[in-house]
Amino acid sequence: NNLSKEMVDACLQYKNTCSQLHESLNKLEGQNEPSQEEVENCMQYFAQLKKYNCKAQQQCRRVRDNTRQLKKKLDSTDLILKNLQFEEIYLQREIKKCLQYKSVDEELSLIPESEYLSSLGDKTPSTDQHKHMLERLKWELEQRKAMRVNQEKWEKSKSDLEGEIAELKGYLASLPPQLEEMLSTTTQVQEYLGMKLVHRKTQAEMAAWLPPQLYNIYSQVSGYTEYLKLGISVTLNGDLEIAKNLTSDDTSDIDEVIEIETKHSKRRSAVNDPGKKRVFKAHPLNVEVVVPCDDGVHAKVLFTYLTKLKVVTVSISLMITTASPWRDKFSVGTDYMSSKELLCALWTEDHGEECPNPGTAAILNKYSLPSKTKIPNSLGRPFQWAQRLAGITAGRWTLSWTSLQAGRPSPTS
């Protein structure tokens, strides 16, 4: 404020001096010979102006120096402020990191604290949370080391047991071939003693792959024969490997489409007709029953199951031994006692000419065969009593629209 007042006073004095100098110069301008006094006054005014000019320059220099010092102080203060701001940001970031910090022990699955406290016994846990956590982690480490020792012990025991189990499995795997070899080497002894162990084993394995219908016949006839001891022999024949590859109902190929040429259709023989072969497809296993009769005559009855028609067929043939008195009479081939007619009419009007399955017409239509197509003689006849013996009754053939579209009956019990 003092500096400003001095500058204002100097400006006023400079102004007054300039005005006085201007007046003196105007007076001298009109005179031819100015006086000495007036010239000295003008020189005095010039000296005062020079003095005021020097004084003004000193004041400007002083103001500039003062301004420079103040600016320097302001820059220093501003730099300190910026440093404080940066330090504040850094501290806030560090505080945030500290708040978000997660210790490794927080991610570990530690033993419950209650178990740790119970393990202390009479000792009192530390009241400091940090020290308490350090003690708990130390105890946890000791427990894990003990568990690791137990784990290695049990793993070694496990590997030993696995080795023993593998050794026993190898020994058990070697038993079946040895048993097969023993049975094959004792075949003659079995035949001599009448044991037939190999035959029974083979028959039992084949029985497991029989369709339910043939299994009913096999089980009933076998039980009847074994109980009454009539000398009737029951044998299972066929290809076991093919039977193993079949599905449960043997209808895996029922959905195969049979394309029939309608424009250039030709009549095909029954032997070469693929549709007929599929309809009258027989199960690869069958049941053979040999009934001994008098005078060296044996009746061989063969039960076959047709997988598409769901019926059991029966074929019979007579076997005459060389010592039989009937051998010469039947050698000519007389037909007055044909074996094909031996099982006819065991039930009233049951000649086995028609298929007892009511869905036969729909199945034949599926394969574009006439509805009156009969089962080939080579497969036998579907007698009603054979269906009853196999456990098939009239109620088991219940046709639905879906089964008719599929071309086969759906048996229900």
Side-chain angles (χ1 to χ4, degrees):
N1 292 331
N2 295 331
L3 183 61
S4 300
K5 187 176 180 181
E6 290 179 359
M7 292 180 67
V8 171
D9 292 340
C11 290
L12 291 174
Q13 291 176 2
Y14 183 78
K15 182 179 179 181
N16 293 332
T17 304
C18 288
S19 60
Q20 291 175 1
L21 178 62
H22 185 66
E23 291 177 357
S24 298
L25 290 175
N26 288 333
K27 289 179 180 182
L28 290 175
E29 198 174 325
Q31 296 177 7
N32 293 329
E33 291 182 5
S35 62
Q36 185 65 27
E37 185 179 359
E38 292 177 353
V39 173
E40 289 179 358
N41 290 333
C42 289
M43 294 299 292
Q44 188 178 2
Y45 290 144
F46 275 113
Q48 289 180 359
L49 289 176
K50 188 175 181 181
K51 178 183 177 182
Y52 291 147
N53 188 22
C54 291
K55 190 175 182 180
Q57 289 181 1
Q58 290 177 359
Q59 289 178 354
C60 287
R61 190 181 298 111
R62 191 164 49 250
V63 170
R64 192 163 45 248
D65 293 339
N66 191 17
T67 302
R68 189 182 296 110
Q69 291 178 0
L70 291 175
K71 184 179 179 182
K72 185 177 180 181
K73 185 177 181 181
L74 178 62
D75 292 340
S76 177
T77 306
D78 183 63
L79 182 60
I80 294 173
L81 178 61
K82 288 184 178 179
N83 290 335
L84 291 175
Q85 289 177 349
F86 288 141
E87 187 174 357
E88 180 185 5
I89 294 172
Y90 172 75
L91 292 175
Q92 288 179 354
R93 191 184 301 115
E94 292 299 322
I95 291 172
K96 187 176 181 181
K97 287 183 180 179
C98 293
L99 293 176
Q100 294 178 352
Y101 174 76
K102 290 185 178 180
S103 180
V104 180
D105 60 278
E106 295 180 4
E107 300 178 357
L108 296 177
S109 178
L110 300 178
I111 300 175
E113 188 174 2
S114 58
E115 186 174 348
Y116 164 68
L117 294 175
S118 62
S119 65
L120 294 177
D122 298 335
K123 296 181 180 180
T124 56
S126 177
T127 56
D128 188 1
Q129 186 177 1
H130 181 66
K131 292 183 179 180
H132 175 71
M133 193 64 189
L134 290 177
E135 294 175 356
R136 183 182 176 188
L137 290 175
K138 184 178 179 181
W139 178 81
E140 179 83 17
L141 180 60
E142 295 176 355
Q143 297 298 318
R144 286 177 180 262
K145 287 181 179 179
M147 290 179 182
R148 180 61 181 174
V149 173
N150 292 333
Q151 181 183 2
E152 292 177 354
K153 178 181 177 182
W154 289 116
E155 285 180 353
K156 183 179 179 181
S157 177
K158 178 184 176 182
S159 61
D160 294 341
L161 291 175
E162 287 178 349
E164 294 179 3
I165 292 172
E167 184 178 356
L168 292 175
K169 283 184 177 180
Y171 175 73
L172 293 176
S174 64
L175 286 179
Q178 295 179 9
L179 294 175
E180 292 290 342
E181 185 179 357
M182 291 175 62
L183 289 175
S184 61
T185 54
T186 58
T187 303
Q188 296 181 356
V189 179
Q190 294 177 25
E191 292 179 355
Y192 178 77
L193 297 177
M195 299 174 66
K196 298 181 180 181
L197 297 179
V198 178
H199 177 72
R200 290 180 181 178
K201 179 178 178 296
T202 305
Q203 293 291 297
E205 185 177 1
M206 295 180 69
W209 294 96
L210 282 174
Q213 297 80 0
L214 292 182
Y215 185 80
N216 289 336
I217 297 175
Y218 173 73
S219 60
Q220 292 187 53
V221 177
S222 298
Y224 180 80
T225 302
E226 185 176 357
Y227 178 73
L228 295 180
K229 298 180 180 180
L230 298 176
I232 300 175
S233 65
V234 184
T235 309
L236 299 179
N237 301 321
D239 194 333
L240 181 59
E241 295 300 326
I242 298 177
K244 289 181 179 180
N245 294 329
L246 294 178
T247 57
S248 59
D249 55 355
D250 192 27
T251 58
S252 59
D253 60 344
I254 193 65
D255 295 329
E256 296 180 3
V257 179
I258 303 175
E259 297 182 355
I260 302 175
E261 299 179 358
T262 57
K263 295 183 180 179
H264 305 283
S265 60
K266 297 181 180 180
R267 301 190 64 181
R268 296 169 294 183
S269 61
V271 177
N272 298 326
D273 191 347
K276 193 170 184 179
K277 286 183 178 180
R278 297 189 181 196
V279 171
F280 300 122
K281 182 180 179 181
H283 195 274
L285 300 180
N286 53 59
V287 181
E288 180 184 294
V289 180
V290 179
V291 182
C293 303
D294 296 335
D295 299 332
V297 179
H298 300 275
K300 183 175 71 173
V301 183
L302 188 67
F303 294 91
T304 306
Y305 180 66
L306 304 184
T307 58
K308 297 296 183 295
L309 296 179
K310 307 293 183 184
V311 295
V312 175
T313 59
V314 184
S315 59
I316 184 172
S317 60
L318 295 177
M319 297 183 299
I320 304 176
T321 60
T322 56
S324 175
W326 297 94
R327 183 174 181 81
D328 296 335
K329 296 181 180 180
F330 281 95
S331 61
V332 183
T334 56
D335 58 354
Y336 62 89
M337 195 176 178
S338 175
S339 60
K340 297 180 182 180
E341 306 297 332
L342 287 178
L343 300 178
C344 293
L346 292 182
W347 283 10
T348 305
E349 297 182 358
D350 183 15
H351 298 281
E353 299 293 338
E354 297 180 358
C355 184
N357 186 355
T360 302
I363 299 174
L364 294 175
N365 186 29
K366 172 70 178 180
Y367 290 90
S368 302
L369 295 177
S371 59
K372 295 183 179 181
T373 304
K374 294 184 178 181
I375 299 175
N377 294 329
S378 59
L379 297 176
R381 298 184 182 183
F383 294 106
Q384 293 285 352
W385 58 267
Q387 316 309 315
R388 180 62 63 86
L389 183 62
I392 304 174
T393 59
R396 290 179 62 89
W397 288 302
T398 303
L399 293 178
S400 63
W401 175 251
T402 304
S403 63
L404 286 173
Q405 291 294 327
R408 59 181 178 181
S410 56
T412 58
S413 57

